Amino acid sequence: MLEPSETPMPPLFTWEFAADPYPAYAWLRTHAPVHRTTLPSGVDAWLVTRYADARQALADGRLSKNPAHHSEQAHRTGRVGIPGERSADLMTHLLNIDPPDHTRLRRLVSKAFTPRRVAAFEPRVQQLTDRLIDSFAARGSADLIHEFAFPLPIYAICDLLGVPAEDQDDFRDWAGMMIRHGGGPRGGVARAVKRMRTYLAELIHRKRADLGDDLISGLIRASDHGEHLTENEAAAMAFILLFAGFETTVNLIGNGTYALLRNPEQRALLQGALARGERGLLTTGVEELLRYDGPVELATWRFATEPLTIGGVRIAAGDPVLVVLAAADRDPARFAAENTLDLARTDNPHLGFGHGIHYCIGAPLARLEGQIALATLLTRLPDIQLSADPAELRWRGGLIMRGLRELPVAFTAEG
């Protein structure tokens, strides 16, 4: 039985909401845990906000990832999904398909994210991290989003895919256009997607003649060995690994650093543990930062293939369903002291990387990058502080991701 509402529902999707959506999500969990709303794009969708309902919905096979189960026109005009992916012929990736195609493609790509392969990538991530900090450490100030959190995962995922070093700055420019989708013209995102599609097609052709140990070469080898991976599928997979793999890590590093700067006692505990050479608090701490203010606010689009019930609410066939990970991960029915940052929290089955067959395939790499980035920042710049009023910081617009536009900091200059 839902509690009677004594307060009106807070507005959703305003700039004030973007800065701190958690009070509105708390209201929804209490009064309307499965709530139908009109999104800023004009699409009507269901928001699922309680942890138990969210976990059920993420694993429910009746909720398809394929936009064909919703309005063709809504997807064609970019109101659901990633703008430009249809016109660029990049639809056949893990976020848009269901089994059995999803099972086949995920099996191929998962070979790049085994624990052994990710562990082998650690020295390269550390090298990139140190190089980026070197670029601003002597200055005593930085914008940690643009100078650190943004370029680190871009260069890392480019290395993993096998993008040559001389082409990586082009990827950085395209990614920058895509990550600004909330603050720039929507057509700019589609143009960046098309440029990336053209480049990936050319790169796949070049690599066929000179295969390496990178992910794109691995996809080509799989195709050549009868795995039935088309060139469009290979390009789409490379695209979505870049698109989904970089912005989530940008936000993990940015949101995580911001949370530590706003919670000095927790930050001091972590710095003390790192100084003693203890890594346990770093490991649980990154999981807690994913729960507390994670990089993905809403899970990507799902569409009901048949009528179903979530949280006692009837969902019609074809209806879009958006699982609100940020709300579920602060559900007091699952997490004690849900609004408190506790880096030592161990009972922490957060949904920051999703749940079920669509659980984030790049989670091991994101964890590695987050741990190295935060540990290195706090060790090399031990007195790092926020150099702006938190009320003046702006969060990027957009529906799925949650991240800061900038994070100005000051610290004692190195050297």
Side-chain angles (χ1 to χ4, degrees):
M1 190 84 177
L2 296 181
E3 299 176 18
S5 175
E6 298 178 359
T7 57
M9 176 179 163
L12 303 177
F13 311 120
T14 64
W15 287 113
E16 293 77 16
F17 169 84
D20 183 11
Y22 296 103
Y25 289 149
W27 191 98
L28 286 174
R29 279 196 311 265
T30 300
H31 303 294
V34 181
H35 174 68
R36 187 173 176 88
T37 189
T38 301
L39 305 173
S41 63
V43 173
D44 289 334
W46 294 95
L47 302 181
V48 179
T49 55
R50 287 181 175 172
Y51 182 88
D53 295 337
R55 190 174 168 91
Q56 171 203 328
L58 291 172
D60 194 325
R62 297 170 297 176
L63 291 174
S64 169
K65 300 291 290 175
N66 189 340
H69 291 290
H70 184 50
S71 161
E72 176 86 7
Q73 181 62 22
H75 194 279
R76 189 177 296 281
T77 56
R79 293 194 296 156
V80 303
I82 301 169
E85 63 180 353
R86 179 182 292 276
S87 59
D89 204 10
L90 289 170
M91 290 290 294
T92 51
H93 57 69
L94 290 176
L95 295 186
N96 277 347
I97 56 175
D98 302 315
D101 287 335
H102 176 272
T103 308
R104 173 175 59 88
L105 292 179
R106 187 179 176 100
R107 185 182 68 251
L108 296 177
V109 179
S110 65
K111 298 172 184 175
F113 295 101
T114 62
R116 188 165 68 94
R117 181 145 188 169
V118 170
F121 204 53
E122 182 173 353
R124 178 57 176 156
V125 175
Q126 185 67 63
Q127 180 186 42
L128 289 169
T129 300
D130 285 326
R131 189 182 80 191
L132 290 168
I133 295 178
D134 287 344
S135 70
F136 57 75
R139 200 169 68 228
S141 65
D143 175 357
L144 282 187
I145 299 301
H146 293 283
E147 297 183 76
F148 184 62
F150 174 73
L152 174 59
I154 279 289
Y155 292 135
I157 201 72
C158 280
D159 281 355
L160 192 71
L161 288 171
V163 176
E166 61 269 21
D167 296 340
Q168 292 187 5
D169 284 338
D170 286 337
F171 261 74
R172 180 174 175 169
D173 291 343
W174 297 328
M177 197 175 299
M178 291 159 67
I179 205 171
R180 288 192 294 271
H181 53 72
R186 199 163 179 84
V189 184
R191 286 193 296 274
V193 170
K194 287 182 180 179
R195 289 173 187 160
M196 197 174 289
R197 171 67 176 91
T198 300
Y199 175 83
L200 288 170
E202 294 170 353
L203 182 61
I204 289 169
H205 281 299
R206 295 201 326 250
K207 283 192 174 292
R208 281 194 181 279
D210 185 20
L211 293 175
D213 190 36
D214 54 81
L215 179 54
I216 290 180
S217 294
L219 293 174
I220 293 170
R221 284 193 187 92
S223 178
D224 290 344
H225 285 81
E227 291 279 4
H228 309 298
L229 187 73
T230 69
E231 182 178 293
N232 278 347
E233 287 176 333
M237 288 301 305
F239 163 73
I240 202 59
L241 287 171
L242 178 78
F243 185 86
F246 90 87
E247 190 170 359
T248 51
T249 310
V250 173
N251 295 346
L252 169 57
I253 297 169
N255 297 5
T257 303
Y258 180 62
L260 290 172
L261 295 179
R262 298 294 307 280
N263 291 268
E265 292 181 0
Q266 290 293 301
R267 173 252 189 97
L269 287 174
L270 180 54
Q271 284 181 303
L274 292 171
R276 295 188 299 272
E278 299 168 2
R279 307 287 288 186
L281 193 63
L282 179 64
T283 301
T284 58
V286 166
E287 299 308 307
E288 174 68 346
L289 293 168
L290 284 160
R291 182 201 70 84
Y292 179 77
D293 198 9
V296 183
E297 190 166 341
L298 285 77
T300 49
W301 295 84
R302 284 166 167 77
F303 308 95
T305 59
E306 61 185 76
L308 70 150
T309 300
I310 302 175
V313 176
R314 194 68 170 163
I315 310 292
D319 280 0
V321 174
L322 291 167
V323 177
V324 188
L325 305 179
D329 279 344
R330 291 212 189 181
D331 187 343
R334 182 58 190 85
F335 299 99
E338 73 279 4
N339 293 317
T340 299
L341 181 70
D342 177 8
L343 298 182
R345 190 187 297 266
T346 54
D347 180 20
N348 192 4
H350 64 79
L351 300 176
F353 288 125
H355 174 65
I357 65 169
H358 291 283
Y359 183 85
C360 176
I361 198 168
L365 180 60
R367 286 186 168 105
L368 176 71
E369 291 178 305
Q371 290 175 15
I372 290 176
L374 293 172
T376 309
L377 269 180
L378 294 176
T379 301
R380 288 189 56 178
L381 310 175
D383 63 348
I384 187 170
Q385 298 292 338
L386 191 64
S387 62
D389 182 343
E392 296 176 356
L393 296 180
R394 292 292 175 262
W395 297 78
R396 286 192 301 275
L399 189 65
I400 301 299
M401 301 292 186
R402 172 166 173 76
L404 287 160
R405 294 188 178 201
E406 67 283 318
L407 184 57
V409 296
F411 45 85
T412 299
E414 281 188 350

